[in-house]
Amino acid sequence: MDKDRRKVLGVAGCLAAAGVLGGGTLHLVGAQEGKKEEPAKRPEVKLDSKGKVLHEPLPYVALDPEAALDLSYSNKLLGDCMYGVFATVVEMLADKVGGPYLTYPTSVTRVGAGGIVGWGATCGAVQGAAMAIYLVSPNPTPVIDEVLNYYQYTMLPDVKPKNAKMDIVPSKADSTLCHVSISHWTKASGAKAFSKERTERCAQLAADLTRKTVMALNAQLAGSFKGDFPIPEEVAACRACHDMGGAMENTRGKMNCLTCHSGHDEIKPNIYEKPPVKL
């Protein structure tokens, strides 16, 4: 072996050692030299028969609702309401299924806190439940409808986690909106919206909704799912005129209409006819 060749191999050996010990990447000399790496490509988007992005649920196995209740309570205190529901389902599936759940970026669901970073819009626990259901269910809509109607029309929280810090007065949200839900609870409890009691209430509420979500998913998996919370007749009556195909067809939705809108016996003024308030 000539001197120059020994020198090349010696350098290569040093580089290899540095790559292994230092966690670096070794680019081989010779056959690989000059070869350009192909740029990473985005995964191909699959479309269904209607030309929409194909819904491809991840694998689901039955989970323990009571374990979900306790874990969700802790997760809500760590990462707020949407995270409390969604991360719990993902973490439990990571333990049982592994695969894609092991690296799923659950921290992104911090966005749902306070009805989307404090906007008081859709409750983060509701967002987390819907997202978890859509992630794993082959037929998510009826399960999401069930869980959201449960949230609207049940006195919650109604199940106390083992690690709960205090007893909480339950209330009925009559809406999936964060600000409406909290307003109804503050009226029922006498507590303030930024109190430690409200923080505890939302932790127990998220835990309760996670438990319901898991129970509904387990039932669908077993083939025994049957919704206990259909859309009420009053809301269906509103939709008959105002939703798709109705005489007016000027809105859409499944939320309780009468929480914010009066019936036809009392017509509220159009708030948009008033001049805007200068800030």
Side-chain angles (χ1 to χ4, degrees):
M1 184 182 295
D2 61 58
K3 183 175 167 184
D4 290 336
R5 183 168 170 74
R6 282 198 302 270
K7 182 189 280 188
V8 170
L9 291 176
V11 172
C14 291
L15 289 173
V20 172
L21 297 176
T25 302
L26 175 64
H27 294 280
L28 297 178
V29 184
Q32 299 293 326
E33 189 174 1
K35 184 178 179 181
K36 293 182 179 180
E37 293 184 7
E38 290 291 327
K41 293 182 180 179
R42 292 180 182 176
E44 213 173 294
V45 176
K46 297 179 182 178
L47 303 180
D48 62 18
S49 58
K50 297 179 180 179
K52 298 288 186 181
V53 174
L54 183 66
H55 173 53
E56 297 182 279
L58 296 182
Y60 180 79
V61 296
L63 301 175
D64 181 351
E66 306 311 317
L69 177 80
D70 296 332
L71 178 58
S72 180
Y73 174 83
S74 298
N75 274 339
K76 190 277 172 189
L77 295 177
L78 285 174
D80 296 309
C81 40
M82 185 179 183
Y83 180 88
V85 181
F86 184 77
T88 296
V89 175
V90 171
E91 286 174 20
M92 294 181 76
L93 287 170
D95 290 340
K96 288 203 164 195
V97 177
Y101 298 110
L102 294 171
T103 56
Y104 204 96
T106 55
S107 62
V108 70
T109 57
R110 289 292 311 281
V111 69
I116 307 174
V117 293
W119 273 75
T122 303
C123 169
V126 167
Q127 295 179 62
M131 187 173 174
I133 293 165
Y134 214 89
L135 184 70
V136 302
S137 171
N139 185 21
T141 299
V143 184
I144 292 173
D145 286 348
E146 168 72 1
V147 172
L148 267 60
N149 277 327
Y150 168 81
Y151 176 93
Q152 286 196 106
Y153 303 116
T154 306
M155 295 291 287
L156 298 176
D158 68 347
V159 183
K160 188 177 179 181
K162 292 177 183 176
N163 44 350
K165 296 177 181 176
M166 62 183 81
D167 292 328
I168 291 296
V169 175
S171 63
K172 188 165 65 167
D174 271 330
S175 174
T176 54
L177 298 177
C178 170
H179 74 275
V180 176
S181 178
I182 288 178
S183 295
H184 285 184
W185 177 78
T186 56
K187 184 177 180 180
S189 66
K192 294 185 180 294
F194 289 89
S195 64
K196 62 181 181 180
E197 289 83 5
R198 200 278 309 153
T199 299
E200 177 71 13
R201 177 259 183 181
C202 289
Q204 292 192 29
L205 182 67
D208 199 312
L209 206 64
T210 307
R211 178 177 179 269
K212 173 65 177 176
T213 297
V214 167
M215 291 171 68
L217 286 170
N218 287 352
Q220 188 179 62
L221 181 68
S224 59
F225 174 77
K226 180 180 177 298
D228 295 319
F229 294 88
I231 292 175
E233 291 180 5
E234 295 86 349
V235 177
C238 293
R239 293 181 67 192
C241 284
H242 295 278
D243 214 323
M244 185 173 66
M248 298 183 73
E249 195 177 322
N250 58 356
T251 188
R252 55 190 297 171
K254 303 176 185 178
M255 201 164 40
N256 187 354
C257 313
L258 300 177
T259 303
C260 300
H261 300 277
S262 63
H264 289 285
D265 57 330
E266 178 191 348
I267 305 299
K268 292 183 179 179
N270 184 350
I271 62 170
Y272 298 106
E273 292 178 354
K274 298 178 182 179
V277 176
K278 292 184 179 180
L279 299 178

